[in-house]
Amino acid sequence: MTPVTMSAAGQKQFDVAVVIPTVLRPTLARAVRSVFRQDLHGRIQLLIGIDQREADGDCLDALARECPEHVGLTILDLGYSTSYRHGGVYPNQFGGALRTILSYAANSKRVAYLDDDDWWARDHLSGLLSAIEGKEWAFSYRWLVDRETGWPICRDEWDSVGPGRGINQQRYGGFVSPSTLLLDKEACHFVLPYWSLCAFPDGSGEDRLVFRALQKHAAWAASGRYSCYYAMPHDGHRQKH
């Protein structure tokens, strides 16, 4: 684990940490820059974990040079994947144990998550930190965005809409997308291992397991802001719901 922009000041706890597992897709730069541009008046730790390289790491060097002073950038490259599909131990095929490892490694009580093909509005973290005060976890709402063009399609008002709502209400008790989440990791300590597991035979569904575990923590809040942009493939546009 390499701290890129941290000095001895890195030992001081950050106001919030952001975890991004990646295979170094080209969209990573957009995701990271959306963290750099947050309007939060505080210190952010950004932890990037590399699962399997689909490209070289040149973009990481460029992003490290852009990193603002208030952001501590830490990059974890184990040199191998922890996911089943690449010969690792953990069944989550999208990053193996990386989200779990980086969540525990984060030097902050508050941990947010961002997929490497999603991105945030400038007020995403500030909104979540306001919402989580006195709570154990919080989430924002999101825009559905066309993956190829980057244009917003519409607000997601039926899928990632929180506990007891939406199209997943009966099957899962609702749903919250990983890229919209902020956790108090002390309160949610035993939720974190679920990031490494899967709910479905194809190695996906860790987000469903995490959400099910979070429902046992009744102290939650929504930021009320549509501050996350979820990149949606074209085949998703044709889903019945």
Side-chain angles (χ1 to χ4, degrees):
M1 185 175 290
T2 305
V4 178
T5 61
M6 289 198 297
S7 63
Q11 185 58 61
K12 181 182 177 182
Q13 288 189 20
F14 291 83
D15 295 285
V16 64
V18 178
V19 166
I20 303 180
T22 186
V23 289
L24 297 180
R25 286 186 283 195
T27 53
L28 174 65
R30 180 180 61 190
V32 169
R33 287 174 179 139
S34 78
V35 178
F36 290 168
R37 294 169 183 154
Q38 291 298 295
D39 65 5
L40 180 70
H41 297 294
R43 298 169 65 248
I44 301 170
Q45 183 183 19
L46 174 57
L47 301 104
I48 300 175
I50 301 170
D51 174 53
Q52 183 82 353
R53 289 175 176 259
E54 292 185 0
D56 59 44
D58 290 349
C59 68
L60 293 176
D61 295 332
L63 290 169
R65 289 192 293 270
E66 296 177 28
C67 189
E69 290 185 2
H70 70 285
V71 178
L73 177 59
T74 299
I75 298 172
L76 175 64
D77 184 0
L78 296 171
Y80 58 88
S81 172
T82 57
S83 172
Y84 269 2
R85 68 171 175 162
H86 300 304
V89 173
Y90 291 93
N92 174 7
Q93 71 162 328
F94 302 105
L98 278 178
R99 274 204 189 103
T100 299
I101 293 168
L102 294 176
S103 296
Y104 285 129
N107 193 24
S108 175
K109 296 178 181 179
R110 307 279 174 71
V111 182
Y113 300 90
L114 182 59
D115 288 345
D116 69 357
D117 57 347
D118 297 340
W119 69 99
W120 291 335
R122 283 175 49 83
D123 61 351
H124 179 78
L125 288 177
S126 59
L128 284 176
L129 286 171
S130 294
I132 204 173
E133 285 297 327
K135 308 294 183 181
E136 296 181 349
W137 61 281
F139 66 95
S140 74
Y141 299 111
R142 67 181 183 177
W143 286 88
L144 302 179
V145 178
D146 182 81
R147 179 171 290 176
E148 278 70 32
T149 66
W151 283 94
I153 301 168
C154 62
R155 290 180 171 183
D156 179 0
E157 296 178 336
W158 55 89
D159 187 12
S160 180
V161 289
R165 298 182 59 208
I167 59 173
N168 297 289
Q169 179 180 358
Q170 291 187 347
R171 189 174 182 186
Y172 300 109
F175 179 61
V176 170
S177 168
S179 291
T180 68
L181 269 175
L182 177 68
L183 306 184
D184 179 327
K185 74 172 186 178
E186 289 185 322
C188 300
H189 182 83
F190 294 105
V191 173
L192 303 180
Y194 288 107
W195 288 123
S196 305
L197 306 179
C198 67
F200 309 122
D202 66 355
S204 67
E206 77 286 353
D207 48 4
R208 310 293 173 172
L209 297 178
V210 167
F211 181 71
R212 184 173 65 186
L214 286 175
Q215 289 181 84
K216 299 175 182 178
H217 298 260
W220 59 270
S223 72
R225 304 181 187 185
Y226 286 82
S227 57
C228 178
Y229 295 87
Y230 170 70
M232 191 175 184
H234 277 162
D235 57 0
H237 300 187
R238 297 189 294 271
Q239 290 179 12
K240 185 176 180 180
H241 62 255

